[in-house]
Amino acid sequence: MPVITFSPMENELRKDYFLDRRVIIAVGRGKRPSDFKRDPAPEEDGKTCFFCPGNEEMTPAEISRVEEDGHWVIRVFPNKYPAVTTEEEEGSDELMPAYGYHEIVVENPAHSKSVSDLSIERISHVLSVYNERVEHMLSDPRVRYALVFKNHGRKAGASLSHTHTQIISTPVVPRLVKEEAEAVERYKTLNGSCPLCDAWKKEVGGPRKVWEDYHMAVFTPYASRSPMEAWIVPKRHVHDLGDLSDEERHSMASAFKLLLEKLRDGLNDPPYNLYFHVNPRGADLHLHVELLPRLSNWAGFELGSEIIINTMAPEDAAEFYRPE
Amino acid sequence: MPVITFSPMENELRKDYFLDRRVIIAVGRGKRPSDFKRDPAPEEDGKTCFFCPGNEEMTPAEISRVEEDGHWVIRVFPNKYPAVTTEEEEGSDELMPAYGYHEIVVENPAHSKSVSDLSIERISHVLSVYNERVEHMLSDPRVRYALVFKNHGRKAGASLSHTHTQIISTPVVPRLVKEEAEAVERYKTLNGSCPLCDAWKKEVGGPRKVWEDYHMAVFTPYASRSPMEAWIVPKRHVHDLGDLSDEERHSMASAFKLLLEKLRDGLNDPPYNLYFHVNPRGADLHLHVELLPRLSNWAGFELGSEIIINTMAPEDAAEFYRPE
């Protein structure tokens, strides 16, 4: 079979579904998914892992845990080196304390197991735990947003290899989330509909579709910022993880497992970041998850322009991710 | 002498001078400039360098050169793997050809010499060459912007080690530049002045001042996005490199040399990106240069929020850069 890419022009400038954010799909420098296959990760050194069972006293005081057969399987505690602070000093818009909470969710006790190795049921449970913590943080009126994100692999910023997710709350709505919420309003005024509802409906019928079931749509976004970027979007117009039914959460967990297994098996487990965009208070942002494998290096052009050069067409990435 | 940092709070949330862009200065995880000292760069392997004298036929056809004693000292040619294209297809806002020019400026024939090793006169000449190319690109009505940027070191995206600068023109005003130009207008309406004029005037009298002369101000920005970020701002409210007098250009070259020598000698030549923000047509953006050493790794939080966590206070960075 010939390789079909859906990029008729050599260097396309594509605009995001609703943000004023652009990428250059530079397939002339073109990469295929297999070009990103990495060497297997080196063996771990024998350092003590703070996140392993038996070392619980090495983390700050536990916030919550989920147990099975008398042992924890999911564990939540504050980050030992928080990026935010709960001191309540006064501030101005130019300078305020970075007020908030910074927590760690360890999704599984086994040191070398990644989220891709967990059962769909466990991943679904993990999603509930994320939501509990987000809701708890947002119950503090000084908190304006809570970002759930995962850094997987050293190149993606993970300083400890035992898989974990972080949640940081902020006293302002973050720039990107604010921009999304504002762009949603503009889009609604113009089109009378939600841009993410429109996006998934369009994408599940096209070359960037990865997977769908009754509840969830998975696709590689039209203006992907990195090779192998993928989004998980609930089909129902929901705002938060807490709005998901058990079935929808199970379906989102299946989507996670599909994407992360493909990366693990097809590309030897490359570094990635992923994050949840939940709705900021008072806005109408459609909940979604963005997965960004760290397979390229943003340099002076990206930093200075905030236009991203991506050397792989998302249509090729979708082909890679699609279940057989 | 005790180490004085000017960060009274442990985790500060700081807002940029005029953009709605925030950073967390997390000095609790705190780093001192010397923490970023790297091991000396490994020796070069013996591969043929396309940018060295004698290999001129390995680059695309030369656009221009500056000669001294019958040999080129500065050379300009198109990028062999352009991120943009000069094919003139039709497009829409969602999808258009990434129309434009992608050029390379090699600032010096010696393979291992960096910009920090050049004379102020040469750097000043190089700045004129950048400006010539930008003006040439902007003479094409389909070009809306031209970004001059340098990637230094592999971690900063340089694929070839022979020092060079790139210029990419785009058919849209890039997101960050557009945001700056719009923020300038808002700031002017509110304050009746230019935010960068106000910023340099304030900063040369404070703890983030690096250097100034009659023409130029150098400081570490209040809401620095990376350890050791530094800005060069002409004191006169000019828009473009072409607006600089010979004296001003000489002064900007001195600022470059100061910053890059400090990085080379004090931190063993770390990777960095730098770029010029010239004024987009019809706007009123004050010309400035932003230097971003690549001493931290943006991960899930930064990508998902566009709030940057910076582990070093810019006040400490300024102390590092200041001439004795």
Side-chain angles (χ1 to χ4, degrees), chain A residues 26-287:
Chain A
V27 293
R29 302 172 154 194
K31 293 269 171 71
R32 299 278 312 148
S34 56
D35 294 334
F36 292 106
K37 194 160 177 169
R38 62 201 278 276
D39 295 330
E43 288 297 307
E44 283 283 308
D45 56 14
K47 274 201 287 186
T48 304
C49 171
F50 304 153
F51 294 173
C52 271
N55 300 334
E56 287 82 358
E57 79 291 347
M58 297 176 113
T59 70
E62 184 171 299
I63 292 168
S64 72
R65 62 163 64 191
V66 175
E67 292 201 345
E68 267 176 22
D69 306 323
H71 301 284
W72 66 264
V73 291
I74 305 172
R75 196 165 169 266
V76 184
F77 45 87
N79 191 311
K80 197 168 186 174
Y81 303 101
V84 289
T85 171
T86 45
E87 55 176 326
E88 296 206 40
E89 270 181 78
E90 286 305 302
S92 65
D93 195 40
E94 279 67 41
L95 172 61
M96 62 176 100
Y99 180 85
Y101 307 92
H102 188 167
E103 298 181 359
I104 303 280
V105 181
V106 176
E107 290 104 338
N108 126 68
H111 183 77
S112 303
K113 264 195 188 172
S114 191
V115 172
S116 55
D117 303 314
L118 303 179
S119 67
I120 292 172
E121 288 65 32
R122 172 73 66 75
I123 299 173
S124 179
H125 203 148
V126 162
L127 295 173
S128 310
V129 171
Y130 296 160
N131 183 56
E132 270 170 41
R133 299 315 306 154
V134 168
E135 286 186 353
H136 183 266
M137 291 181 187
L138 288 171
S139 69
D140 180 336
R142 292 195 60 176
V143 164
R144 298 285 300 281
Y145 201 74
L147 189 83
V148 179
F149 65 97
K150 180 183 275 292
N151 302 336
H152 177 83
R154 188 161 290 271
K155 219 191 134 190
S159 49
L160 294 169
S161 64
H162 193 135
T163 197
H164 61 285
T165 285
Q166 302 184 59
I167 310 178
I168 296 182
S169 78
T170 50
V172 295
V173 178
R175 178 182 183 222
L176 179 56
V177 177
K178 191 178 164 202
E179 204 173 308
E180 286 187 356
E182 288 170 357
V184 163
E185 293 309 317
R186 280 197 301 277
Y187 187 99
K188 278 165 61 183
T189 305
L190 217 61
N191 304 288
S193 54
C194 159
L196 276 162
C197 286
D198 288 358
W200 79 252
K201 282 172 198 162
K202 190 182 160 212
E203 294 298 12
V204 296
R208 289 175 293 275
K209 172 186 169 177
V210 171
W211 178 80
E212 67 173 327
D213 68 1
Y214 190 75
H215 301 295
M216 218 52 53
V218 181
F219 53 91
T220 56
Y222 173 69
S224 287
R225 287 159 292 167
S226 85
M228 316 298 298
E229 178 172 357
W231 289 9
I232 303 172
V233 182
K235 290 189 173 177
R236 211 156 53 86
H237 182 75
V238 293
H239 286 154
D240 297 296
L241 280 167
D243 296 337
L244 296 179
S245 69
D246 290 349
E247 279 190 353
E248 284 171 321
R249 205 168 47 250
H250 187 273
S251 169
M252 183 179 270
S254 307
F256 268 102
K257 191 159 171 74
L258 167 67
L259 293 173
L260 299 180
E261 276 186 348
K262 284 281 179 181
L263 288 177
R264 183 194 66 195
D265 300 339
L267 299 182
N268 275 331
D269 203 24
Y272 65 80
N273 298 116
L274 69 78
Y275 50 83
F276 292 74
H277 274 178
V278 303
N279 186 41
R281 268 189 215 111
D284 187 22
L285 183 61
H286 190 134
L287 168 70

Side-chain angles (χ1 to χ4, degrees), chain B residues 68-251:
Chain B
E68 267 176 23
D69 306 323
H71 302 284
W72 66 264
V73 291
I74 305 172
R75 197 165 168 265
V76 184
F77 46 86
N79 192 312
K80 198 168 185 174
Y81 303 101
V84 289
T85 171
T86 45
E87 54 176 325
E88 295 205 40
E89 270 182 76
E90 285 307 301
S92 65
D93 196 39
E94 280 66 41
L95 171 62
M96 62 176 101
Y99 180 85
Y101 307 92
H102 188 167
E103 298 181 359
I104 304 281
V105 181
V106 176
E107 290 104 338
N108 124 69
H111 183 77
S112 303
K113 264 196 189 171
S114 191
V115 172
S116 56
D117 302 313
L118 303 180
S119 67
I120 292 172
E121 288 65 33
R122 172 74 66 76
I123 299 172
S124 179
H125 203 148
V126 162
L127 295 173
S128 310
V129 171
Y130 296 159
N131 183 56
E132 270 170 40
R133 299 315 307 155
V134 168
E135 287 186 353
H136 183 266
M137 291 182 187
L138 288 171
S139 69
D140 180 335
R142 292 194 60 176
V143 164
R144 298 285 301 280
Y145 201 74
L147 189 83
V148 179
F149 65 98
K150 180 184 275 292
N151 301 335
H152 178 83
R154 187 161 291 272
K155 219 190 134 190
S159 49
L160 294 169
S161 64
H162 193 135
T163 197
H164 61 286
T165 285
Q166 301 183 60
I167 310 178
I168 296 182
S169 78
T170 50
V172 295
V173 178
R175 179 181 182 221
L176 179 56
V177 177
K178 190 178 164 202
E179 204 173 308
E180 286 187 356
E182 287 169 357
V184 162
E185 293 309 316
R186 280 197 301 278
Y187 186 99
K188 278 165 62 183
T189 305
L190 217 62
N191 304 287
S193 53
C194 160
L196 276 163
C197 286
D198 287 359
W200 79 252
K201 282 173 196 159
K202 191 183 159 210
E203 294 299 12
V204 296
R208 289 176 293 276
K209 173 187 169 176
V210 171
W211 178 80
E212 67 173 326
D213 68 1
Y214 189 76
H215 301 294
M216 217 52 53
V218 181
F219 53 91
T220 56
Y222 173 69
S224 287
R225 287 160 292 167
S226 85
M228 315 298 299
E229 178 173 356
W231 289 9
I232 303 173
V233 181
K235 290 190 173 176
R236 210 156 53 87
H237 182 75
V238 293
H239 286 155
D240 296 297
L241 279 167
D243 296 337
L244 296 178
S245 69
D246 290 349
E247 279 190 351
E248 285 171 321
R249 204 168 48 248
H250 187 273
S251 169

